[in-house]
Amino acid sequence: MSEITLSDYTGYIFIEIIKAREMADAYAREVAQRYAQDEVLRHFSAPRFKIPKMNLTVPVLISGAKFSQIVRFNMEETAFRDYISKEIQLILRTIEFNTIKVLPIIDRPIKPVAPIITPIISPITPISPINPVKPFSPLTPLTPLLMAAPEGAMGASATDDTIGIFYKDLTGNALATQPEITIRDSWRLIFDTAIKEAGLSEVYQKQNPNNELFDQSVADIISTINTHTVIAKTQIESLLVDPETNVVKNGSSDSSVFTLQAELNEEGFFIKSVKDANTGMQSLIVEFD
């Protein structure tokens, strides 16, 4: 089905009527020139006529419409900052946790101590006490490589600034066009800033050569933002009509067709050039019939 906007369809009809008047006037000029060259016809007025009023009745088949939607991000800024901060903490902990190397436990069998045999001599000589076995020193506890950061401990000005910019973009109707690209670019800035401030950029690159962790996290961010995005307003941009008259005749119903009625009054205008006697400047003046 062919589709054009109703404004284009109606405007083209009016343009065609103006072209028809132009063609008629051009032909009337040719006739007037022939009359002027004829010895007899030069005494007659050149034929020309006007249509002072024209009524048009045009059936129009509505085939569709173009809509535009205005969306709004309805999460409060405080809640949004808390959510993004928790996501950042989760990212940093994931990176740090993957750096932990668990030391293997050494399991060696303890060699039995050979018994000390002392010959018995009469008279019995008291046996000197055996030096007591020194107890094993307790194992030194492993120092953890990761200390979990407390909730809300981000406090990094650069990261906070990027979160604020992200929120302004979301509330400023940046989601109207290509929302996923907008979200991905903003989250990328926050993601890189947080990792850089934590000193984990090099570690992250080694663990995620293809940005696997970022791709996973941005999918969660997009899902959450879409959940908190509502349609604030829907409006029609233009009506689409089918210009094929046979379709209007055979493939329509009373509910899909409306009639466009227009009354056209012919009006001409003249463009005159006027010269100022004092300055000598010329200007154009439009006069209507």
Side-chain angles (χ1 to χ4, degrees), residues 160-176:
D160 288 343
D161 291 343
T162 53
I163 296 176
I165 295 173
F166 191 13
Y167 184 79
K168 289 181 180 179
D169 289 340
L170 295 178
T171 55
N173 287 331
L175 296 175

Side-chain angles (χ1 to χ4, degrees), residues 58-278:
V58 182
V60 178
L61 173 63
I62 299 296
S63 59
K66 290 183 179 180
F67 297 91
S68 64
Q69 293 181 336
I70 299 176
V71 298
R72 181 171 56 86
F73 184 61
N74 64 351
M75 181 183 286
E76 295 294 333
E77 183 173 0
T78 302
F80 179 76
R81 286 181 175 272
D82 290 342
Y83 165 69
I84 295 297
S85 296
K86 290 179 181 179
E87 289 294 319
I88 293 173
Q89 288 294 331
L90 179 61
I91 294 297
L92 297 180
R93 290 177 183 177
T94 302
I95 298 173
E96 291 178 333
F97 181 79
N98 291 335
T99 64
I100 296 178
K101 296 180 179 179
V102 180
L103 298 178
I105 299 176
I106 301 175
D107 186 10
R108 295 181 180 177
I110 300 176
K111 295 181 180 180
V113 180
I116 300 175
I117 302 175
T118 303
I120 300 175
I121 302 175
S122 183
I124 300 174
T125 304
I127 302 173
S128 60
I130 302 174
N131 294 331
V133 179
K134 294 181 180 180
F136 292 100
S137 59
L139 295 176
T140 303
L142 295 175
T143 302
L145 299 177
L146 169 65
M147 295 298 293
E151 293 290 340
M154 283 301 298
S157 59
T159 303
D160 288 343
D161 291 343
T162 53
I163 296 176
I165 295 173
F166 191 13
Y167 184 79
K168 289 181 180 179
D169 289 340
L170 295 178
T171 55
N173 287 331
L175 296 175
T177 58
Q178 299 179 331
E180 292 189 2
I181 295 178
T182 301
I183 298 172
R184 189 179 186 89
D185 292 343
S186 298
W187 176 240
R188 163 58 73 183
L189 180 60
I190 297 173
F191 189 92
D192 292 343
T193 301
I195 291 178
K196 182 177 180 181
E197 290 178 344
L200 298 174
S201 299
E202 185 176 352
V203 176
Y204 172 76
Q205 292 297 330
K206 292 180 179 179
Q207 294 179 2
N208 302 267
N210 297 319
N211 279 334
E212 296 87 352
L213 185 57
F214 171 80
D215 292 337
Q216 178 183 353
S217 62
V218 76
D220 296 335
I221 297 294
I222 292 175
S223 176
T224 301
I225 291 177
N226 288 338
T227 302
H228 291 83
T229 301
V230 297
I231 298 175
K233 184 179 180 181
T234 301
Q235 59 186 15
I236 298 178
E237 291 184 348
S238 58
L239 290 176
L240 300 176
V241 300
D242 194 331
E244 299 181 10
T245 55
N246 61 327
V247 176
V248 177
K249 178 181 179 181
N250 301 322
S252 61
S253 62
D254 294 339
S255 60
S256 61
V257 174
F258 71 92
T259 301
L260 179 65
Q261 293 183 342
E263 182 178 280
L264 307 180
N265 295 319
E266 185 176 19
E267 183 180 35
F269 64 90
F270 301 92
I271 300 178
K272 296 182 179 180
S273 177
V274 180
K275 185 176 182 180
D276 193 311
N278 297 325

